[in-house]
Amino acid sequence: MPTLKASITLNSTRAEHPFTMAASTQLPTTYVRMSTPPARATQSSTRVISQLSLGLQDMSPFSGTSSSWSRASSRVDVLSAKPYVYAPPRKLSTTLRSLDPFDWPDSAEYQKVARLFENGWKHPYKQLPNIKRIFTVSLPDYLNESYNDYKGLLESQNGWTGVNEKLVFHGTTRSCSLGDDEGYISLCEKMNCRLCCILRTSFSVSMAGSAGRGFNRSGPAIYTSSVSSKADDYTNAQWYSENKVIIVAKAALGKSRIYHETTTQLTASPWGYDSVLGEVGVDLNYDEQVLYKNEAIRPAYIVVYGEWRRQWSVYDDDD
């Protein structure tokens, strides 16, 4: 009885799908045993090959008519498609926003910063001033990312409690009208306006002493304090404005080395420590935090204040 050898070769172009077949795939050779006389073998073999081809079309998404290929390609696209995730544009510059003391949730944030400022006003010869406005500082993404990376480094070194993040005060000079009104929120371009320079690019150890104070008690570094009245000593008021502006910064102190005396020889944190904490003692009347890395601190708020608050007196009328 004659035997018909049906050999079919499937060629497909390269497709960008996870189950792409090879560029040239040889299907296994199929032998069909015929029960018809040799004279009719040609017609019968043609029918067998046609049926075999139709079966292969159903099995493979890479052969057959264009419609079957389209259906198979659509199924592949659905399987390999990734969900669309919205990625907001990166923030490239610093912006300020005034906190509303009477509207939630701004009021809670406002009261937190105001309480920190008032409780930190400790100089006995300075009257507590009125807070005019408090602005929150929104920094560029790259500054937030480097700060978060540094906090992650501290956490890996010292454990999750080792970041030791605090809100502290920093006083510096201002050469513009920033903060004098709720609408005055654009940073100036003056190089001598240290306030706007810090808000734009954050703190820098290289600028230590640039505000006119040449003495660095713990060497060249970034200095802050939990005492707002001490930071006030480093601010200034413009001739056309009675207001002053102070920076409230968030600082990742990590593990602090405590000193009670002057240590001007330092150029970095002592070995095994991340910052220096100057406590009241031999040379200090009020505390200070000293940081030697730019990425360890970022401005978070500014407080606009002025018009010394009138102190209550027993001689004041009840009404």
Side-chain angles (χ1 to χ4, degrees):
M1 183 177 295
T3 299
L4 176 63
K5 181 179 179 181
S7 177
I8 299 175
T9 302
L10 176 64
N11 295 321
S12 63
T13 58
R14 185 175 182 180
E16 299 298 330
H17 300 296
F19 43 89
T20 304
M21 297 184 66
S24 179
T25 304
Q26 181 71 37
L27 294 180
T29 302
T30 303
Y31 294 91
V32 182
R33 186 170 296 278
M34 306 298 294
S35 59
T36 56
R40 300 175 57 186
T42 303
Q43 296 178 357
S44 299
S45 62
T46 302
R47 288 196 301 270
V48 172
I49 293 174
S50 299
Q51 293 173 0
L52 181 59
S53 299
L54 290 175
L56 291 174
Q57 289 176 6
D58 293 337
M59 290 189 302
S60 174
F62 305 102
S63 61
T65 62
S66 60
S67 60
S68 63
W69 163 253
S70 177
R71 289 193 300 271
S73 178
S74 299
R75 289 195 297 271
V76 171
D77 291 341
V78 171
L79 291 174
S80 61
K82 295 182 179 179
Y84 177 76
V85 179
Y86 172 73
R90 290 182 61 80
K91 194 173 188 298
L92 302 178
S93 60
T94 300
T95 55
L96 304 181
R97 184 178 65 85
S98 177
L99 293 176
D100 189 340
F102 305 106
D103 184 32
W104 180 267
D106 278 5
S107 58
E109 195 170 6
Y110 182 98
Q111 292 300 326
K112 178 188 70 174
V113 178
R115 192 178 303 113
L116 189 71
F117 179 86
E118 293 174 352
N119 292 340
W121 199 269
K122 296 182 178 180
H123 283 60
Y125 59 88
K126 287 185 177 182
Q127 294 185 16
L128 181 64
N130 282 326
I131 295 177
K132 302 290 192 65
R133 282 165 291 278
I134 297 178
F135 295 86
T136 180
V137 180
S138 179
L139 296 171
D141 287 341
Y142 77 94
L143 291 178
N144 290 325
E145 290 166 357
S146 57
Y147 179 70
N148 291 331
D149 289 344
Y150 181 73
K151 290 201 301 180
L153 177 62
L154 291 179
E155 185 174 341
S156 64
Q157 292 176 348
N158 309 324
W160 67 273
T161 59
V163 176
N164 194 17
E165 187 177 35
K166 304 287 185 182
L167 284 177
V168 290
F169 297 99
H170 179 86
T172 191
T173 57
R174 178 180 65 138
S175 302
C176 63
S177 300
L178 184 73
D180 281 341
D181 189 83
E182 288 188 2
Y184 294 175
I185 57 175
S186 297
L187 306 185
C188 74
E189 300 293 337
K190 299 176 182 178
M191 295 301 296
N192 63 336
C193 184
R194 294 300 309 145
L195 174 65
C196 288
C197 289
I198 291 174
L199 295 178
R200 180 177 292 107
T201 59
S202 189
F203 298 88
S204 176
V205 175
S206 63
M207 300 302 294
S210 62
R213 302 291 183 96
F215 178 67
N216 294 315
R217 191 182 304 275
S218 298
I222 302 166
Y223 289 79
T224 64
S225 177
S226 65
V227 181
S228 54
S229 54
K230 177 177 181 176
D232 171 73
D233 290 342
Y234 297 85
T235 63
N236 68 323
Q238 298 297 312
W239 62 268
Y240 49 81
S241 173
E242 63 182 7
N243 297 328
K244 288 185 173 183
V245 180
I246 202 171
I247 296 175
V248 182
K250 52 184 180 181
L253 301 175
K255 188 177 180 181
S256 298
R257 173 72 161 86
I258 297 177
Y259 286 102
H260 296 87
E261 65 282 341
T262 298
T263 52
T264 55
Q265 72 278 6
L266 291 178
T267 57
S269 301
W271 179 259
Y273 295 89
D274 308 301
S275 62
V276 166
L277 179 60
E279 290 192 347
V280 178
V282 179
D283 295 325
L284 282 172
N285 296 322
Y286 302 97
D287 70 65
E288 62 184 19
Q289 301 80 36
V290 187
L291 299 157
Y292 297 88
K293 293 184 178 180
N294 298 339
E295 59 271 21
I297 182 172
R298 292 290 181 263
Y301 305 93
I302 62 170
V303 179
V304 183
Y305 60 99
E307 295 179 356
W308 308 112
R309 182 177 297 180
R310 184 169 178 262
Q311 300 295 311
W312 179 82
S313 171
V314 294
Y315 299 103
D316 288 347
D317 294 333
D318 293 338
D319 55 357

